[in-house]
Amino acid sequence: MVQYDFDGTTAVVTGAASGIGRQTALEFARHGASVVVADVDDNGAAETVDLIADGGGEAVAVHTDVTEMSDVERMVETAVDEFGSLDYAVNNAGVGGAQEPTGDLDEADWERIVDINLNGVWRSLSAEVDHMVGQDGGVIVNMASVLGHVGFQNASAYVAAKHGVLGLTKTAAWEYADDDIRVNAVCPGFIETNMLEEGGITSDEQLRQEIAGRHSQNRLGEPEEIAAAVVWLCSDAASFTNGEPLTVDSGYRGI
């Protein structure tokens, strides 16, 4: 098992109460980082903190709604106040949202999905780089999706937001490279998470098999597999990787 040296560093992970976010927080802690567990789900965030503590790590939970700039600013302040720095940030919070054809999607649903999945990443990144510019750099990973590369029926808002995350990532990577801040994205395929369950994909066996069959290994991914990619991007092993949309999708074949 690969081991990185993150001792004495601090990582912030949004959407860390469950799924990919929780596994990413646990992975950072396994490699020695102190972790700020940020989420609107306070109970889930507390469970993540407990899991990290059970493994001998350090973590603190902070209520964070990524649609509120004041929340993401407090998230960054918590990292610095509790642990002394902000070295790594993973902007993972997101929602699936309504599944409707583009012309039938309610405007309020469009705005909510885009506000969380795209604007929320921008708000978080903005607060993070504001601090990192004043220290010795850092690494930011934005959670995009394989649907940031391809279309998907009845998911126009989600797809548009994830395409936007990739554009934001590539632009910020150039803007902050001179400040020794690397900004990358991870584009997961379909992963075994609550989001898929809530979207009816994992509860509908026929749909589940159809989606799984679009991946070369004929299965859905696991959160741990995405967390491993995120932590690699933050490590020195990825020191020449910047502005990269790292796709972890078993060669997903779109419609």
Side-chain angles (χ1 to χ4, degrees), residues 204-245:
D204 182 330
E205 189 58 32
Q206 182 177 350
L207 180 58
R208 177 192 178 91
Q209 290 303 318
E210 179 186 344
I211 295 295
R214 295 180 188 173
H215 301 76
S216 69
Q217 292 160 278
N218 199 36
R219 67 175 176 86
L220 304 181
E222 296 292 340
E224 294 86 349
E225 294 172 304
I226 307 306
V230 171
V231 171
W232 175 78
L233 281 172
C234 291
S235 75
D236 289 342
S239 59
F240 197 55
T241 304
N242 196 28
E244 173 67 23

Side-chain angles (χ1 to χ4, degrees), residues 43-205:
N43 291 333
E47 290 174 3
T48 301
V49 169
D50 288 343
L51 288 170
I52 290 172
D54 289 345
E58 285 190 305
V60 62
V62 56
H63 182 90
T64 306
D65 180 348
V66 296
T67 68
E68 298 290 338
M69 182 63 84
S70 59
D71 274 21
V72 297
E73 288 173 345
R74 184 172 65 250
M75 173 186 76
V76 171
E77 291 169 0
T78 299
V80 177
D81 291 345
E82 292 287 334
F83 302 120
S85 66
L86 172 58
D87 305 287
Y88 312 111
V90 182
N91 300 320
N92 166 76
V95 295
Q99 299 180 34
E100 297 284 350
T102 302
D104 296 335
L105 185 63
D106 185 80
E107 184 175 1
D109 287 330
W110 171 277
E111 290 179 346
R112 174 176 176 270
I113 295 165
V114 171
D115 197 24
I116 295 172
N117 291 321
L118 176 56
N119 299 345
V121 172
W122 168 77
R123 290 186 190 96
S124 301
L125 187 150
S126 177
E128 292 151 5
V129 296
D130 187 56
H131 175 76
M132 288 180 176
V133 164
Q135 62 174 31
D136 295 328
V139 184
I140 296 172
V141 178
N142 297 323
M143 194 59 63
S145 168
V146 65
L147 300 188
H149 294 295
V150 300
F152 194 83
Q153 291 177 326
N154 300 328
S156 58
Y158 184 86
V159 169
K162 294 303 185 179
H163 274 70
V165 168
L166 295 187
L168 172 64
T169 298
K170 293 174 184 179
T171 301
W174 274 94
E175 291 172 335
Y176 295 101
D178 287 346
D179 295 298
D180 200 22
I181 299 171
R182 292 190 294 111
V183 186
N184 292 290
V186 172
C187 302
F190 285 72
I191 309 300
E192 294 270 15
T193 62
N194 291 339
M195 186 182 294
L196 289 194
E197 184 176 346
E198 292 165 0
I201 291 175
T202 54
S203 58
D204 182 330
E205 189 58 32

